[in-house]
């Protein structure tokens, strides 16, 4: 199975800050990567697919980049509604696997 | 509105069985592959099982293989997960998830149903 490793596990930031989260795959996954946002008690929400394509309805403050084994999710200007846990997921091969999550907390 | 609604969760003793259902609405269910994904309390996301649109292809995580059975009824817009020989480590919120065609991204999630395995 492909292992997905996110860093950091948590980050404290203020409204308006730029935040970046990194996801590393244990082998080359090309651009078969998605990012999800999950708020407490809610289901995950697809933000980005194919490493850098924004899902419909997702604010342009979110962006994704990377290919191969190293990927980044960036939030350009953190808003109050962006405080959540973020997961990466590889879609290169079965089984689909997720990173362990990165919690974005209010500083 | 595109919607997935899970049901059937509850408290069950170790070794017991449970059947989860997922009702799809607001979109044409039959062309889409579907997943079940679970999340143990305070933990991350774990993919459980996949079923293709026609049920031709079915895949399970090693952790549930031989104990869980995924199925679907396209005429009724329903997805199922039959769970047996349940263990404490199966305790989780179970999400029904739609799969993006020609990719394994997951674009529509239900709200989840909680399964608790405890004596």
């Amino acid at each position: 199975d492909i292992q997905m490793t996110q860093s950091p596990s948590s980050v404290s930031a203020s409204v308006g800050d730029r935040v970046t989260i990194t996801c590393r795959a244990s082998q080359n996954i090309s651009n078969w990567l998605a990012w999800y946002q999950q708020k407490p008690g809610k289901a995950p929400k697809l933000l980005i697919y194919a490493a850098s394509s924004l899902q419909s309805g997702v604010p342009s403050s979110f962006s994704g980049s990377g290919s191969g084994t190293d990927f980044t999710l960036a939030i350009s200007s953190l808003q109050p509604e962006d405080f959540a846990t973020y997961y990466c997921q590889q879609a290169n091969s079965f089984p689909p696997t997720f990173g362990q999550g990165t919690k974005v907390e209010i500083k | 509105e595109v919607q997935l609604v899970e049901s059937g969760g509850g408290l069950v003793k170790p070794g017991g069985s449970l059947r989860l259902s997922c009702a799809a609405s607001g979109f044409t269910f039959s062309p889409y592959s579907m997943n079940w994904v679970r999340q143990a309390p305070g933990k991350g996301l774990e993919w459980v099982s996949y079923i293709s649109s026609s049920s031709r292809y079915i895949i399970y995580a090693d952790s549930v293989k031989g104990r869980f059975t995924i199925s679907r009824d396209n005429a009724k817009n329903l997805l199922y997960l039959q769970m047996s020989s349940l263990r404490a480590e199966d305790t989780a919120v179970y999400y029904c998830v739609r799969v993006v065609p020609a990719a394994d991204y997951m674009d529509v999630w239900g709200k989840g149903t909680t399964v608790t395995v405890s004596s």
Side-chain angles (χ1 to χ4, degrees), chain B residues 45-60:
Chain B
L45 301 167
E46 180 190 15
W47 168 81
V48 172
S49 184
Y50 164 93
I51 186 167
S52 63
S53 56
S54 64
S55 303
R56 179 176 182 182
Y57 299 104
I58 287 176
I59 310 173
Y60 298 99

Side-chain angles (χ1 to χ4, degrees), chain A residues 4-9 21-24 35 86-89 98-102:
Chain A
M4 306 300 292
T5 304
Q6 289 180 231
S7 61
S9 296
I21 299 168
T22 297
C23 178
R24 176 164 289 176
W35 288 98
Y86 294 85
Y87 295 92
C88 62
Q89 176 236 327
F98 295 88
Q100 80 278 16
T102 295

Side-chain angles (χ1 to χ4, degrees), chain A residues 1 31-34 36 38 41-46 49-51 55 87 89 91-96 98-100, chain B residues 35 37 39 43-47 49-50 59-62 95 97-98 100 102-112:
Chain A
D1 297 1
N31 70 335
W32 291 100
L33 185 99
Y36 301 86
Q38 186 179 33
K42 302 294 186 182
K45 171 187 173 183
L46 177 64
Y49 62 94
Q55 176 71 348
Y87 295 92
Q89 176 236 327
N92 181 74
S93 62
F94 261 82
F98 295 88
Q100 80 278 16
Chain B
N35 281 332
V37 173
Q39 186 170 36
K43 303 297 184 182
L45 301 167
E46 180 190 15
W47 168 81
S49 184
Y50 164 93
I59 310 173
Y60 298 99
D62 287 345
Y95 295 103
V97 189
R98 191 176 80 173
V100 174
D104 289 321
Y105 308 120
M106 306 181 204
D107 69 338
V108 179
W109 295 63
K111 293 183 177 181

Side-chain angles (χ1 to χ4, degrees), chain A:
Chain A
D1 297 1
I2 297 175
Q3 306 302 315
M4 306 300 292
T5 304
Q6 289 180 231
S7 61
S9 296
S10 66
V11 57
S12 294
S14 300
V15 172
D17 284 352
R18 175 180 175 85
V19 171
T20 58
I21 299 168
T22 297
C23 178
R24 176 164 289 176
S26 61
Q27 63 189 73
N28 187 346
I29 60 169
S30 184
N31 70 335
W32 291 100
L33 185 99
W35 288 98
Y36 301 86
Q37 176 194 65
Q38 186 179 33
K39 297 181 180 179
K42 302 294 186 182
K45 171 187 173 183
L46 177 64
L47 296 177
I48 287 172
Y49 62 94
S52 60
S53 296
L54 207 61
Q55 176 71 348
S56 176
V58 174
S60 57
S61 56
F62 290 90
S63 63
S65 63
S67 66
T69 60
D70 293 317
F71 302 87
T72 300
L73 173 69
I75 310 172
S76 61
S77 177
L78 207 58
Q79 298 303 301
E81 59 269 25
D82 300 334
F83 291 94
T85 299
Y86 294 85
Y87 295 92
C88 62
Q89 176 236 327
Q90 67 82 16
N92 181 74
S93 62
F94 261 82
T97 46
F98 295 88
Q100 80 278 16
T102 295
K103 187 173 184 179
V104 177
E105 301 174 297
I106 300 173
K107 183 183 263 186

